[in-house]
Amino acid sequence: MNFQEGLIAAFSVVASLIIVLVVVCLGWYLVWKLFLSRFKLVRELLGLAQSTDSPTHSENLSGDAGSGKARNARKVRRD
């Protein structure tokens, strides 16, 4: 085996490792965005939990129980 063949073999190993790392990182990113980021436990384990639990939708604080916004407000699931 000469120097050129050894260089090609080393390059193929390095390129294979880079491809595997990119695929794993891309897979983790997609799973995080589509599924894992919704769970509070996973965010807390990774240290990404928000300090305040503010609802994503504004609540009706005026006390107007008959308004359409209060009835049509979407409930937010908290895990």
Side-chain angles (χ1 to χ4, degrees), residues 13-33:
V13 169
V14 171
S16 299
L17 288 175
I18 290 173
I19 290 171
V20 167
L21 286 175
V22 167
V23 169
V24 167
C25 290
L26 181 64
W28 172 257
Y29 178 77
L30 288 175
V31 169
W32 172 258
K33 282 294 186 184

Side-chain angles (χ1 to χ4, degrees), residues 10-68:
F11 177 73
S12 68
V13 169
V14 171
S16 299
L17 288 175
I18 290 173
I19 290 171
V20 167
L21 286 175
V22 167
V23 169
V24 167
C25 290
L26 181 64
W28 172 257
Y29 178 77
L30 288 175
V31 169
W32 172 258
K33 282 294 186 184
L34 297 175
F35 184 70
L36 291 177
S37 64
R38 298 179 185 181
F39 294 101
K40 187 176 179 181
L41 175 66
V42 177
R43 288 192 314 258
E44 287 179 1
L45 289 174
L46 295 176
L48 300 174
Q50 297 173 350
S51 60
T52 60
D53 287 334
S54 61
T56 57
H57 299 285
S58 62
E59 295 179 5
N60 187 7
L61 299 177
S62 65
D64 186 15
S67 94

